[in-house]
Amino acid sequence: MHFIGSLSSLRYLNLSYNLFTVTIPYQLKNLSRLQSLDLSYSFDASVENLGWLSHLSCLEHLDLSGSNLSQVNDWLQVVTNLPRLKDLRLNQCRLTDRIPSPLSFMNSSKFLAVLHLSNNNLSSAIYPWLYNFSNSLVDLDLSGNQLQGLVPDGFRNMGALTNLVLSRNQLEGGIPRSIGEMCGLHKLDLCHNNLTGKLSDLTRNLYGRTESSLEILRLCQNQLHGSLTDIARFSSLRELDISNNQLNGSIPESIGFLSKLDCLDVSFNSLQGLVSGGHFSNLSKLKHLDLSNNSLVLRFKSDWDPAFQLNNIHLSSCHLGPCFPKWLRTQINVRLLDISSANISDIVPNWFWNLLPELVFLNLSHNLMRGSLPDFSSVDAVDDTFPGFDLSFNRFEGLLPAFPCNTASLILSNNLFSGPISHICNIAGETLSFLDLSDNLLTGQLPNCFMNWSTLAVLNLANNNLSGEIPSSVGSLFSLQTLSLNNNSLYGELPMSLKNCTMLKFLDLGRNQLSGEIPAWIGESLSSLMFFSLQSNEFSGSIPLHLCQLTNLRILDLSQNTISGAIPKCLNNLTAMVLKEAETIIYNLYFCSIRGGAIFSRRYYINKARVGWKGRDYEYERYLGLLRVIDFAGNNLSGEIPDEISGLNELVALNLSRNNLTGVVPQTIGLLKSLESLDLSGNQFSGAIPDTMCDLTFLSYLNLSYNNLSGKIPSSTQLQSFDASAFKGNPALCGLPVTHKCLGDDLPGTPLMNGVIQDNQETVHEFRAWFYTGMENGFCVFFCGLSGALLLYTIMETCLFPVFGWIMGFALSILAAHKAR
């Protein structure tokens, strides 16, 4: 690299997108005639000094994007003092805004037109420095920084500015009126901020020249509400992206007046109502249409021939059905088509499959489409890549056809496909990343062609009728992160070659007929495992201690096998069950591929699995990564529960039921503060239930039935809330919620048996106590009532009767006098 400094006459140097492991050579300072320098995404080493740039006074174009400039404190001064600089790009350089003194601006370039500083750590303190280029700056990109507060008014003074990109920051409020005063603004991107208010209020400030000049308006991923009202007044608009907000109401037909519109994205809002051909009557230039994830109903005439030719169609969750949309036949240039969850319950017409040569992604999932698939092997996709099919959750049937050899993703789960899966072996290994054929009626053996799929990240063949052994070629899947063969009829031992799949995070081999001992190499080689299930197989032997090396493991299910021996004491080494993680949801086992240009139409692959939880099996998908579960139920384990298991602070479910475990339930069980489900039933535990179990405040499922537990059930709101069935089969237990009372719960002297009052004597005792107490209380009430009645009669006879007679006599005399008158 040092020899470049000797090329003193060099004017253009481009070393971009290399993988140099050294820092930027300072010998570049000798290239005094250099006008353009592009070192973007080439140097990994940290840069500590940019002083050599000061020698390049002729420099007009500079791109150091991707370089680590976090240690360069004077980057602002250096680039400011390049007098002829026109184009500066420092994207993703870990910059911070150490603002220089005003004197540093004296020699600043008068020509700087393009300034891209995206994906750094710049704050709003950068604004004053930017205003020094008000007369020259045309293109400004500050996306992906730490800008906060309101959009500043200072941009109004940048009279030459045409492109303003402030996306992926923390800006608040709305759009200031000063933006509307800009003379020639063509592009305004405020996506991924915290803007609030009505959409109409924000756009109202884009008036005057901006109203007629604006070509690209991006307000996606904010918190805007209201309806689409006056968008049509932006007559020059080519791209409108208001997706991922809180907009409601219907889409007005006036949107059709935007005759220059090339891209329309209103996805992920709460829009509703009818969309007809009138909305698109003048949109002849439209190429990208995204109405997905709203409540829109699309109704077009059967002979509708739209004026546009779309490249990308996203209509997921729009109501298109029940018939298959015929207007798609006119779209011969479609590359990406997503009409998933569209309420279509029709047979896919044959003409539709003729569109495939132009498609790069097809998503028909979550409908009720019917029919069989044609042979796709002759399809030769554009750019030599066919990123994928997602036809899952439909009613497609018949044999699996051959697919294009350049397929990158194939999702056919939850259909009625039958027969063998050997046809998929024609797919080339350098492209295939996702293969999901789960929940079908497929039969036969696993094909021995896995050696061709070195890029495969997801292999899901669960819930079929596949048989035979797992072929050794599975060990050639070096990129594999998910392997699910659950609920088939596979048998034999696990192939040792599987240990080569060191990137595995999700391994589900449950509900088969696999046998042999659990290999120790699983713990030694598959250290990335988060989910591991061998449930309902025929594994024997003991639990290998090497499994304790799986520090990323969140769910361990070895239930319903014939595993024997003791529970390993080293389980507290399962770090993911010990430590609380701030962002557990990111381990929800999402996968996204951009290999070969393949994308999942903004979707992610989400693993799902059946997990024993609170006495039942549940299927989890999105929240699978939040669980922390150990399930050893239905084996032949013996010995005691090791105290070390209480170190699993984040464990939410522990199932050791139906084994031969003995000893006492450890006092340390109360340390499992996150525990919500505990099943120790069907063992030989003895002794008392530890008082510390009262500390399990999140416990909502408990089963201690059919053991040899004795003594009083500890008193707590938590334990007494469970049904008595949680404790049945333990005849020596007493106290609520069981019906047997404990010693000391009643009067002394009562006959006892093993601390429990005998039922018949308890009944007699309660009857006698009730009878004598009732006799005593009844006599007291009778005596008091009789005495009170006699006393009342005596008082009335001696006092009240004479007074009453005098009053009556007085009244009769008055009445007689009145009659005499």
Side-chain angles (χ1 to χ4, degrees), residues 523-584:
E524 296 171 338
S525 302
L526 307 184
S527 58
S528 297
L529 276 181
M530 298 179 184
F531 179 98
F532 179 38
S533 176
L534 299 178
Q535 175 199 25
S536 298
N537 277 286
E538 299 172 5
F539 287 100
S540 57
S542 60
I543 300 174
L545 299 180
H546 300 81
L547 291 187
C548 297
Q549 300 177 25
L550 300 175
T551 56
N552 294 305
L553 200 61
R554 288 149 173 77
I555 298 177
L556 175 59
D557 189 349
L558 306 179
S559 62
Q560 301 180 57
N561 283 279
T562 56
I563 301 170
S564 57
I567 298 174
K569 293 183 178 181
C570 57
L571 288 178
N572 57 346
N573 292 329
L574 301 177
T575 310
M577 300 190 192
V578 176
L579 302 177
K580 188 175 184 65
E581 297 178 351
E583 297 184 4
T584 310

Side-chain angles (χ1 to χ4, degrees), residues 470-492:
I470 300 175
S472 59
S473 62
V474 73
S476 302
L477 303 175
F478 303 118
S479 301
L480 197 64
Q481 299 182 50
T482 288
L483 175 59
S484 181
L485 303 176
N486 182 280
N487 194 26
N488 281 285
S489 299
L490 303 174
Y491 55 81

Side-chain angles (χ1 to χ4, degrees), residues 21-49:
T21 57
V22 297
T23 189
I24 298 176
Y26 68 90
Q27 289 85 355
L28 291 175
K29 70 179 182 180
N30 299 327
L31 307 180
S32 57
R33 298 184 181 182
L34 203 63
Q35 296 179 14
S36 177
L37 176 61
D38 188 349
L39 305 179
S40 59
Y41 303 102
S42 292
F43 294 90
D44 289 336
S46 177
V47 179
E48 297 183 358
N49 192 339

Side-chain angles (χ1 to χ4, degrees), residues 765-804:
H765 173 80
E766 290 181 351
F767 176 79
R768 287 176 177 174
W770 171 83
F771 179 82
Y772 290 123
T773 302
M775 287 281 290
E776 182 179 40
N777 292 339
F779 179 80
C780 290
V781 171
F782 173 78
F783 179 80
C784 292
L786 180 60
S787 300
L790 293 174
L791 179 61
L792 179 61
Y793 181 81
T794 303
I795 293 173
M796 292 179 65
E797 183 179 22
T798 57
C799 299
L800 295 181
F801 287 173
V803 173
F804 182 75

Side-chain angles (χ1 to χ4, degrees), residues 114-231:
V114 177
L115 179 58
H116 288 187
L117 302 175
S118 67
N119 298 301
N120 286 290
N121 298 308
L122 304 174
S123 70
S124 302
I126 197 68
Y127 292 144
W129 179 73
L130 297 175
Y131 299 153
N132 288 278
F133 309 103
S134 296
N135 296 326
S136 62
L137 209 55
V138 174
D139 185 351
L140 176 60
D141 186 350
L142 296 176
S143 61
N145 280 285
Q146 303 295 323
L147 305 180
Q148 298 180 343
L150 303 176
V151 178
D153 285 328
F155 288 121
R156 80 170 73 194
N157 299 320
M158 294 185 171
L161 197 64
T162 60
N163 296 340
L164 178 58
V165 181
L166 303 175
S167 59
R168 291 180 290 113
N169 281 285
Q170 302 167 35
L171 298 171
E172 302 173 352
I175 299 175
R177 291 183 62 84
S178 57
I179 299 294
E181 298 173 4
M182 300 177 71
C183 297
L185 192 64
H186 292 166
K187 177 180 180 180
L188 178 60
D189 189 346
L190 292 169
C191 282
H192 295 268
N193 279 286
N194 298 318
L195 302 183
T196 56
K198 289 185 176 181
L199 175 64
S200 57
D201 293 340
L202 266 71
T203 56
R204 191 175 295 121
N205 288 337
L206 299 175
Y207 61 96
R209 294 185 178 181
T210 300
E211 182 176 317
S212 58
S213 67
L214 197 63
E215 298 180 2
I216 298 174
L217 178 58
R218 296 175 182 163
L219 300 174
C220 59
Q221 288 278 2
N222 282 287
Q223 302 170 37
L224 305 178
H225 61 272
S227 57
L228 302 175
T229 52
D230 56 350
I231 295 295

Side-chain angles (χ1 to χ4, degrees), residues 232-376:
R233 63 189 178 86
F234 298 101
S235 57
S236 299
L237 212 57
R238 292 188 293 107
E239 180 179 341
L240 174 62
D241 187 351
I242 49 178
S243 61
N244 288 275
N245 280 285
Q246 301 164 18
L247 303 174
N248 53 30
S250 59
I251 299 178
E253 282 200 13
S254 59
I255 198 96
F257 296 149
L258 299 174
S259 58
K260 297 181 180 179
L261 202 62
D262 174 82
C263 173
L264 174 61
D265 190 345
V266 298
S267 60
F268 290 91
N269 280 287
S270 299
L271 300 173
Q272 55 189 355
L274 186 67
V275 176
S276 64
H279 289 79
F280 304 103
S281 55
N282 297 314
L283 303 184
S284 59
K285 297 183 179 181
L286 195 64
K287 303 296 182 186
H288 178 98
L289 175 64
D290 194 341
L291 308 180
S292 60
N293 294 92
N294 285 284
S295 299
L296 298 168
V297 177
L298 276 61
R299 285 286 179 268
F300 305 111
K301 295 181 179 179
S302 58
D303 59 347
W304 182 53
D305 187 4
F308 51 65
Q309 280 293 327
L310 297 173
N311 297 135
N312 300 324
I313 303 176
H314 299 267
L315 300 177
S316 176
S317 299
C318 293
H319 190 100
L320 298 177
C323 298
F324 197 89
K326 296 180 179 179
W327 62 271
L328 288 177
R329 190 171 191 171
T330 66
Q331 303 302 296
I332 59 175
N333 297 326
V334 178
R335 297 189 52 127
L336 195 154
L337 175 61
D338 185 351
I339 52 174
S340 60
S341 302
N343 297 297
I344 299 173
S345 55
D346 197 3
I347 297 177
V348 179
N350 291 329
W351 58 258
F352 174 75
W353 303 117
N354 296 328
L355 297 175
L356 291 182
E358 293 295 326
L359 284 172
V360 295
F361 185 79
L362 173 64
N363 190 349
L364 305 180
S365 66
H366 292 85
N367 285 287
L368 291 174
M369 296 183 189
R370 308 187 308 277
S372 57
L373 302 184
D375 188 334
F376 299 120

Side-chain angles (χ1 to χ4, degrees), residues 533-735:
S533 176
L534 299 178
Q535 175 199 25
S536 298
N537 277 286
E538 299 172 5
F539 287 100
S540 57
S542 60
I543 300 174
L545 299 180
H546 300 81
L547 291 187
C548 297
Q549 300 177 25
L550 300 175
T551 56
N552 294 305
L553 200 61
R554 288 149 173 77
I555 298 177
L556 175 59
D557 189 349
L558 306 179
S559 62
Q560 301 180 57
N561 283 279
T562 56
I563 301 170
S564 57
I567 298 174
K569 293 183 178 181
C570 57
L571 288 178
N572 57 346
N573 292 329
L574 301 177
T575 310
M577 300 190 192
V578 176
L579 302 177
K580 188 175 184 65
E581 297 178 351
E583 297 184 4
T584 310
I585 194 67
I586 67 172
Y587 297 107
N588 206 9
L589 307 173
Y590 287 10
F591 297 102
C592 181
S593 174
I594 56 173
R595 187 179 291 110
I599 58 173
F600 255 59
S601 184
R602 297 183 301 182
R603 291 173 177 260
Y604 296 91
Y605 188 88
I606 304 176
N607 287 313
K608 64 179 180 180
R610 297 188 69 84
V611 178
W613 177 255
K614 300 183 180 180
R616 298 177 60 185
D617 281 350
Y618 294 91
E619 189 171 83
Y620 286 91
E621 277 187 288
R622 194 166 298 275
Y623 298 106
L624 185 63
L626 294 174
L627 299 178
R628 303 290 185 274
V629 177
I630 290 180
D631 192 344
F632 294 161
N635 282 287
N636 297 321
L637 297 175
S638 57
E640 300 182 352
I641 299 177
D643 284 336
E644 287 79 4
I645 207 168
S646 61
L648 303 176
N649 301 325
E650 297 304 310
L651 195 66
V652 296
L654 175 61
N655 191 347
L656 305 177
S657 64
R658 292 172 286 116
N659 280 285
N660 298 314
L661 299 173
T662 57
V664 298
V665 180
Q667 284 284 341
T668 53
I669 196 79
L671 297 176
L672 299 175
K673 303 294 186 181
S674 301
L675 205 62
E676 298 182 35
S677 176
L678 176 61
D679 193 343
L680 304 179
S681 62
N683 282 285
Q684 302 173 33
F685 293 116
S686 58
I689 298 174
D691 292 337
T692 56
M693 200 171 285
C694 299
D695 299 331
L696 303 178
T697 53
F698 290 105
L699 197 65
S700 57
Y701 177 83
L702 175 65
N703 192 350
L704 302 177
S705 63
Y706 298 105
N707 280 285
N708 297 316
L709 300 172
S710 60
K712 184 177 181 178
I713 298 174
S715 297
S716 73
T717 305
Q718 202 75 14
L719 294 182
Q720 269 65 53
S721 66
F722 293 113
D723 189 82
S725 60
F727 305 93
K728 68 181 179 180
N730 294 282
L733 278 180
C734 60

